[in-house]
Amino acid sequence: MRAAEAIRLVAAARTDADLFGADQPARRYRELVAALHPDRLPTDPAVRAEAIDAFVHVTTRWQARQTTVLGNYRLGAPAHSGDLADLYDVGEDRLLKLPRRPTDNDLMAREAHALRTIAERGDPRYLPYVPRLVDEFRHRDAATGAERRINVLAAAPGLHDLEEVRRAYPDGLDARDVAWMWRRLLVVLGLAHRAGVVHGAVLPRHVLIEPNAHGVVLIDWCFSAAVGSTIPAVAPGHGWDPEEVLKKQPSGPGTDIAMASHCMSWLMGPRVPRELHTFAQGCRQRSLDARPDDAWRLLRELDQVLDRLYGPRTFRPFTLTP
């Protein structure tokens, strides 16, 4: 497409369908941008000015076309993609979580219920360890009629999931670095369990850390359930689900504790000390009844193991660049 043809098309277009066509709008957009891009225009000042105006019009219309309004929030491109939903940065340190399939609305409802329950019943000192539910609402697609449940969560900057951490340390992490992650993960599990909630999917991509301040946030509560009930679905991932999750049997604090210990062993890899390996194995007994069932009591036991290995705790700086 030549610049003159593109200019005429833009000038004549009254709707998005006129401008971008109905069959392959993205392809038409790329053709227009290529024809009107300032770096490829002729030197004639009048033609250049007309083409640049058309270029700005095309890019502005395309951006507006790509933006969706849901409730009181304007969405652009997804900032993150989770197990069952896309997350959009909607400003003010908030993420809007939109399920890709309406059939997952029940899981979105579980997340909202879990976060409300923990906020109401949990110790306020530890609430920063879980996302804060800012808003929740339903949205019906005008074109398809499909209804989706949407959660809006407070977002903290500078967080990295454990998969990113492990990629930075392919040979495994020093157990002294894993120690603070493990300790804080047990704190958040204790917070949830005392509120009567099992997370149900404690996997590396759901555990976020803030390296400088040694912070931990456990995200994606869509697979959560009340203590003593069944986990609703198996989260895709590492195949670390305990037997009771796979067999749809009642879950408990030991369900999360088993998966958390697997995360920590995986982080250390071959560098795991024998004492911590034994400790982690004890958290992953096959039977739920045989596993520890109190994360905060388990934290005290972990501290005893760490004290025998390394002595009194000291702050150990951590970076993602080994």
Side-chain angles (χ1 to χ4, degrees), residues 115 118-119 126-132 188 191-192 216-219 221:
L115 295 179
I118 294 170
Y126 305 126
L127 291 182
Y129 286 64
V130 300
R132 179 168 59 89
V188 65
L191 171 74
V216 166
V217 179
L218 182 59
I219 65 168
W221 293 76

Side-chain angles (χ1 to χ4, degrees), residues 1 9 15-34 58-59 61-63 65-66:
M1 182 182 297
L9 191 155
T15 66
D16 280 358
D18 294 338
L19 186 58
F20 301 117
D23 295 333
Q24 294 181 301
R27 179 177 179 182
R28 172 67 65 80
Y29 169 72
R30 291 193 295 269
E31 290 174 349
L32 289 170
V33 167
V58 168
T59 55
R61 287 277 288 271
W62 182 258
Q63 183 61 45
R65 177 189 174 93
Q66 298 303 105

Side-chain angles (χ1 to χ4, degrees), residues 165-174 266-272 322:
V165 174
R166 190 64 169 84
R167 286 195 297 270
Y169 291 83
D171 297 327
L173 272 71
D174 190 302
W266 175 76
L267 279 178
M268 290 181 283
R271 301 183 65 180
V272 57

Side-chain angles (χ1 to χ4, degrees), residues 110 198 200 223-234 241-256 285-289 291:
R110 282 177 176 271
V198 176
F223 302 92
S224 61
V227 171
S229 61
T230 59
I231 301 302
V234 175
D241 304 276
E243 184 176 78
E244 64 272 15
V245 175
L246 298 175
K247 292 185 175 181
K248 296 293 184 181
Q249 296 171 343
S251 64
T255 303
D256 288 340
Q285 297 292 322
R286 183 173 181 179
S287 168
L288 176 63
D289 292 338
R291 294 180 220 137

Side-chain angles (χ1 to χ4, degrees), residues 114-128:
L115 295 179
R116 284 197 308 270
T117 301
I118 294 170
E120 292 167 0
R121 301 178 184 175
D123 189 323
R125 293 176 297 172
Y126 305 126
L127 291 182

Side-chain angles (χ1 to χ4, degrees), residues 182 260-269 272 276-277 280 284:
W182 202 341
S261 72
H262 212 143
C263 287
M264 298 302 111
S265 295
W266 175 76
L267 279 178
M268 290 181 283
V272 57
L276 285 177
H277 175 70
R284 298 200 296 270

Side-chain angles (χ1 to χ4, degrees), residues 177-189:
D177 295 318
V178 172
W180 63 261
M181 303 177 198
W182 202 341
R183 297 188 73 258
R184 282 156 178 75
L185 186 52
L186 288 175
V187 169
V188 65
L189 293 181

